[in-house]
Coordinates of all heavy atoms in Angstrom, one line a residue:
Chain B
A33 N 237.7 -5.7 130.2 CA 238.4 -5.6 131.5 C 239.8 -6.1 131.4 O 240.8 -5.5 131.9 CB 237.7 -6.3 132.5
L44 N 235.9 1.3 119.8 CA 235.4 2.3 118.8 C 234.1 2.9 119.1 O 233.8 4.1 119.2 CB 235.5 1.7 117.4 CG 235.3 2.6 116.2 CD1 236.4 3.6 116.2 CD2 235.2 1.8 115.0
G54 N 226.7 1.9 127.5 CA 226.4 0.6 126.8 C 227.6 -0.4 126.8 O 227.3 -1.6 126.7
F82 N 228.5 -7.1 166.6 CA 228.6 -8.3 167.4 C 228.9 -7.9 168.9 O 228.4 -8.6 169.8 CB 229.8 -9.1 166.9 CG 230.2 -10.3 167.6 CD1 229.4 -11.4 167.7 CD2 231.4 -10.3 168.4 CE1 229.8 -12.6 168.4 CE2 231.7 -11.4 169.1 CZ 230.9 -12.5 169.1
D119 N 242.1 9.9 138.5 CA 242.2 8.4 138.2 C 242.8 8.3 136.8 O 243.6 7.4 136.6 CB 240.8 7.8 138.3 CG 240.4 7.6 139.7 OD1 241.2 7.7 140.6 OD2 239.2 7.2 140.0
R124 N 247.9 3.5 138.6 CA 247.1 2.5 139.4 C 245.7 2.6 139.2 O 244.9 1.5 139.3 CB 247.4 2.8 140.9 CG 246.9 1.8 141.9 CD 247.5 2.1 143.3 NE 247.1 3.4 143.8 CZ 245.9 3.6 144.4 NH1 245.1 2.7 144.6 NH2 245.6 4.8 144.8
A140 N 227.5 7.2 136.8 CA 228.2 6.9 138.1 C 227.6 7.8 139.2 O 227.4 7.2 140.3 CB 229.7 7.0 137.9
A164 N 221.1 5.2 161.2 CA 220.9 5.8 159.9 C 221.6 7.2 159.8 O 222.2 7.6 158.7 CB 219.4 6.0 159.6
L202 N 231.0 2.0 164.8 CA 229.9 2.8 165.5 C 228.5 2.5 165.0 O 227.6 2.5 165.7 CB 230.3 4.3 165.2 CG 231.2 5.1 166.1 CD1 231.4 6.5 165.6 CD2 230.8 5.1 167.5
L215 N 233.2 2.0 174.0 CA 233.9 1.0 173.3 C 233.9 1.2 171.7 O 235.0 1.2 171.2 CB 233.4 -0.4 173.6 CG 234.1 -1.6 173.0 CD1 235.6 -1.6 173.2 CD2 233.5 -3.0 173.4
P216 N 232.7 1.5 171.1 CA 232.7 1.7 169.7 C 233.5 3.0 169.3 O 234.1 3.0 168.3 CB 231.3 1.8 169.3 CG 230.6 2.1 170.6 CD 231.3 1.4 171.7
L218 N 236.2 3.9 170.9 CA 237.6 3.5 170.9 C 238.0 2.8 169.6 O 239.0 3.0 169.1 CB 237.9 2.7 172.2 CG 237.8 3.4 173.5 CD1 237.9 2.4 174.7 CD2 239.0 4.4 173.6
I222 N 240.8 3.5 166.9 CA 241.9 2.7 166.4 C 241.9 2.8 164.9 O 243.0 2.9 164.3 CB 241.5 1.2 166.8 CG1 241.8 1.1 168.3 CG2 242.5 0.2 166.1 CD1 241.3 -0.3 168.9
P229 N 249.4 5.8 159.2 CA 250.6 5.0 158.9 C 250.4 4.0 157.8 O 251.3 3.6 157.1 CB 250.9 4.4 160.2 CG 249.7 4.5 161.0 CD 249.0 5.7 160.5
A235 N 251.9 5.3 150.2 CA 252.2 6.5 149.5 C 253.7 6.8 149.3 O 254.1 7.3 148.3 CB 251.6 7.7 150.2
F264 N 256.0 6.7 161.9 CA 256.4 6.2 163.3 C 255.6 6.9 164.4 O 255.2 6.2 165.3 CB 258.0 6.4 163.4 CG 258.4 5.9 164.7 CD1 258.4 4.5 165.0 CD2 258.9 6.8 165.7 CE1 259.0 4.0 166.2 CE2 259.4 6.2 167.0 CZ 259.4 4.9 167.2
Y266 N 252.6 8.2 164.3 CA 251.2 7.7 164.4 C 251.2 6.3 164.9 O 250.2 5.9 165.6 CB 250.5 7.9 163.0 CG 249.9 9.2 162.8 CD1 250.5 10.3 162.2 CD2 248.6 9.4 163.4 CE1 249.9 11.5 162.0 CE2 247.9 10.7 163.2 CZ 248.7 11.7 162.6 OH 248.1 12.9 162.4
L272 N 249.1 3.2 171.7 CA 248.4 3.6 172.9 C 246.9 3.5 172.9 O 246.2 3.0 173.8 CB 248.8 5.1 173.2 CG 250.3 5.3 173.6 CD1 250.6 6.8 173.8 CD2 250.6 4.6 175.0
W303 N 259.3 1.6 162.9 CA 260.7 2.1 163.2 C 261.7 1.7 162.1 O 262.6 2.5 161.7 CB 261.2 1.4 164.5 CG 262.6 1.7 164.9 CD1 263.6 0.8 164.8 CD2 263.2 2.9 165.4 NE1 264.8 1.3 165.2 CE2 264.6 2.6 165.6 CE3 262.8 4.1 165.7 CZ2 265.5 3.6 166.0 CZ3 263.6 5.1 166.1 CH2 265.0 4.9 166.3
L306 N 261.3 4.1 159.4 CA 262.0 5.4 159.8 C 263.6 5.2 159.6 O 264.1 6.2 159.1 CB 261.7 5.7 161.3 CG 262.4 7.0 161.8 CD1 261.7 8.2 161.3 CD2 262.2 7.0 163.4

Side-chain angles (χ1 to χ4, degrees):
Chain B
L44 191 62
F82 176 72
D119 286 348
R124 189 171 60 87
L202 277 178
L215 181 56
L218 289 172
I222 290 171
F264 182 66
Y266 272 98
L272 291 175
W303 172 255
L306 181 68

